[in-house]
């Protein structure tokens, strides 16, 4: 019997990849041959000859598959695929989602249904992990994996005379480090030159010069928000309103130095990487060969992230100090997840800070395990806040710098926002590797179609791009609802909106929540403009957009819009909901929200 497991993952932020790799390690401990691959790295035509596959997938945007799953997705949903083509396949689907989004685990549900249509045998119901659970996704993942292994081992039992590899025994690393005697010129991620003539991508980003980096909030305001412009001359980058720019940040210099000190690594030393097993993926394409330790730590290893449970599982296998081993084993166990959340997730303790808390174990760490222990730094996406028609060869963004306090002594900082905010072009040329991808917001092609945009805070960014584009094309049927805390402190792009308003190119409605005793939000202004909105939507086929924080705002705006349908259109509550659903289905209601 071929005891082989394939684990395929679709991951946008790295969480699904981490879970897939966890399943891969569990398979190794059960003496199975295992491959762990991204969906789009796998030749999907080979699926008909696989016997056991676990699919791990997240959901992005408005129910879309992650970027590294899109080709697989298109192939699997071809109508020409025969109904019984996967009849030899035993499989299981695990979805990683967030129930605060309307399309909760949509991709996993749809994938599971499609696999069954193609004749696959599901070993257990689709797992629907939820980030909103008090214990996070593990609250679903742990029992789901327990059930999966019971089924899988019943079908593919351990060979006679073999037992499981114990949890405390380290598995072999995926890569071996080979250090070089000669130190060559050190590579840096700050300038990452374009290697081909195609449009920039995650593997070949364009190195864009920072033109300016201005703070746009009052110095007395608690939130630092930046307006940053990048020069993309000669990049072959094209984009339209609603698209996003992807930026992969670097670790702070002080963190890089501390990491190298803790692990007694020379940042100048150079090494090459080699896979230790034929089933291991090739060396990550973003790492040059040879590579310096500084480049690896600064540009690749996500040392400033809050570590996942898998980090503690691997760390525990190195522990020789009894106290540290017991604590790491507790954090790795299903029963210890409350403790782990209290120690790590709630105070937002970083992986670097964890190493400092476990000095004996850190001293035992072997460099070969660095790529098993630390995930790759993931790119961040920002709505483009400018139009090529108004600002040729430029991309602009609005960036809220993430900084907050927990019980940790040092303030918590967002990796990408802090890095970008620190770049000062007045001190000399600075460059940021970036690329562009299509966003979820699509604006109407017809020049007479009105657009209604609700964008509080930095949610206004894609609408600034849309307004610049539309006004350059002579489209003046534009309505913008903008909200912030205070008119004098965080009213982004005020002069631009007022100029557009004076020129008859924009109807502007503002909500400043803290400038009076009763808090006023954008949903209150939407309610006040019920007559205008009904006329534009019911009589002029207007498109309606929401962008911003996914907490209460989108629900509040939708409720206010449904009230407008009821008061101005004379429809019932259920009919108003049907109208909103119909608008969404036709693409005339779109939202881009984030938590």
């Amino acid at each position: 019997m071929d005891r082989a497991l394939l684990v395929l993952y679709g991951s946008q932020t790295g969480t699904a990849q981490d879970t897939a790799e966890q399943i891969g390690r569990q398979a190794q401990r059960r003496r199975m041959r295992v491959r762990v691959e991204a969906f789009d790295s796998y030749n999907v035509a080979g699926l008909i000859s696989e016997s056991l596959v676990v699919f791990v997938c997240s959901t992005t945007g408005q129910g879309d598959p992650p970027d590294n799953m899109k080709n697989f997705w298109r192939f699997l949903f071809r109508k020409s695929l025969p109904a019984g083509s996967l009849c030899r396949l035993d499989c299981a689907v695990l979805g990683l989602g967030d129930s605060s989004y309307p399309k909760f685990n949509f991709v996993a549900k749809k994938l599971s249904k499609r696999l069954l249509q193609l004749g696959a045998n599901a070993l257990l119901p689709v797992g629907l992990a939820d980030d909103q659970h008090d214990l996070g996704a593990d609250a679903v993942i742990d029992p789901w994996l327990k059930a999966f292994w019971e089924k899988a081992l019943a079908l593919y039992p351990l060979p006679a005379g073999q037992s499981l590899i114990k949890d405390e025994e380290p598995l072999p690393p995926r890569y071996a480090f080979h250090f070089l005697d000669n130190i060559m010129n050190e590579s840096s991620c700050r300038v990452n030159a374009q290697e081909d003539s195609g449009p920039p991508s995650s593997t070949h980003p364009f190195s864009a010069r920072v033109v300016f980096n201005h703070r746009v909030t009052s110095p007395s305001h608690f939130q630092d928000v930046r307006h940053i412009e990048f020069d993309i001359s000669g990049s072959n980058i094209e984009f339209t309103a609603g698209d996003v720019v992807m930026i992969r940040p670097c670790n702070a210099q002080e963190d890089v130095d501390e990491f190298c000190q803790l692990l007694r690594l020379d940042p100048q030393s150079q090494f090459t990487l080699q896979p230790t097993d034929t089933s291991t993926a090739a060396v990550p394409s973003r790492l040059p060969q040879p590579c310096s330790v500084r480049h690896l730590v600064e540009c690749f290893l996500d040392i400033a992230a809050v570590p996942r449970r898998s980090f503690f599982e691997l760390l525990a296998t190195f522990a020789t100090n009894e106290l540290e081993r017991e604590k790491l084993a507790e954090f790795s166990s299903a029963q210890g997840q409350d403790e782990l959340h209290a120690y790590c997730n709630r105070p937002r303790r970083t992986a670097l800070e964890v190493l400092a808390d476990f000095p004996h174990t850190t001293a035992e760490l072997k460099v070969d395990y660095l790529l098993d222990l630390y995930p790759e730094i993931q790119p961040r996406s920002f709505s483009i806040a400018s139009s090529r028609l108004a600002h040729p060869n430029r991309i602009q963004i609005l960036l809220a710098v993430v900084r907050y306090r927990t019980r940790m002594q040092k303030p918590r900082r967002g990796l990408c926002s802090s890095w970008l905010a620190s770049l000062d072009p007045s001190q000399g040329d600075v460059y940021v590797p970036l690329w562009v991808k299509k966003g979820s917001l699509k604006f109407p092609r017809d020049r007479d179609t009105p657009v209604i945009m609700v964008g509080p805070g930095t949610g206004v960014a894609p609408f600034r791009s849309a307004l610049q584009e539309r006004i350059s094309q002579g489209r003046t049927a534009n309505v913008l609802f903008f909200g912030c805390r205070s008119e004098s402190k965080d009213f982004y792009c005020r002069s631009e909106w007022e100029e557009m308003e004076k020129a008859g190119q924009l109807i502007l409605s503002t909500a400043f929540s803290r400038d009076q005793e009763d808090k006023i939000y954008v949903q209150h202004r939407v309610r006040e403009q019920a007559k205008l909105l009904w006329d534009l939507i019911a009589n002029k086929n207007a498109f309606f957009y929401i962008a911003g924080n996914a907490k209460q705002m989108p629900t509040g705006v939708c409720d206010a819009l449904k009230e407008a349908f009821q008061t101005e259109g004379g429809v019932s509550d259920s009919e108003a909901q049907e109208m909103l659903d119909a608008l969404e289905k036709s693409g005339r209601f779109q939202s881009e929200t984030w938590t």
Side-chain angles (χ1 to χ4, degrees), residues 395-406:
I395 283 178
Q396 297 179 1
I397 61 172
L398 271 178
L399 167 83
V401 182
V402 178
R403 181 186 164 100
Y404 57 95
R405 297 206 77 96
T406 66

Side-chain angles (χ1 to χ4, degrees), residues 228-401:
I228 304 177
E229 181 175 89
F230 304 101
D231 182 353
I232 56 165
S233 302
S235 66
N236 293 322
I237 287 176
E238 295 188 359
F239 64 90
T240 56
D243 289 348
V244 296
V245 60
M246 307 297 294
I247 296 174
R248 203 187 302 264
C250 295
N251 285 310
Q253 207 54 57
E254 62 187 279
D255 287 351
V256 173
D257 293 340
E258 185 183 349
F259 181 88
C260 290
Q261 284 167 9
L262 280 170
L263 272 73
R264 301 181 305 284
L265 293 170
D266 174 7
Q268 306 302 323
S269 59
Q270 305 256 344
F271 63 89
T272 59
L273 283 177
Q274 282 188 327
T276 55
D277 190 282
T278 52
S279 65
T280 301
V283 173
S285 59
R286 284 210 310 118
L287 284 180
Q289 291 267 56
C291 180
S292 72
V293 167
R294 180 174 296 282
H295 182 88
L296 173 73
V297 181
E298 183 183 2
C299 310
F300 192 86
L301 301 180
D302 202 357
I303 62 173
V306 176
R308 299 184 173 106
R309 180 172 154 192
S310 58
F311 179 86
F312 294 92
E313 287 174 2
L314 183 52
L315 215 51
T317 64
F318 294 103
T320 53
N321 176 278
E322 196 175 337
L323 277 175
E324 290 188 8
R325 187 171 62 235
E326 282 178 11
K327 201 67 194 170
L328 290 166
E330 181 186 12
F331 287 157
S332 306
S333 69
Q335 299 76 28
Q337 291 313 289
D338 271 335
E339 281 292 311
L340 179 57
H341 274 253
Y343 168 71
C344 223
N345 298 64
R346 290 186 193 110
R348 310 304 291 167
R349 194 183 305 267
T350 68
L352 180 58
E353 289 167 331
V354 171
L355 288 188
D357 281 354
F358 291 86
H360 297 95
T361 306
T362 299
E364 300 291 332
L365 264 182
K366 296 180 177 67
V367 69
D368 286 347
Y369 284 90
L370 285 182
L371 273 75
D372 297 274
L373 196 59
Y374 288 95
E376 182 179 352
I377 293 172
Q378 294 296 316
R380 275 60 166 174
S381 60
F382 298 94
S383 294
I384 295 174
S386 58
S387 166
R388 286 190 301 150
L389 301 179
H391 301 277
N393 297 316
R394 297 288 189 266
I395 283 178
Q396 297 179 1
I397 61 172
L398 271 178
L399 167 83
V401 182

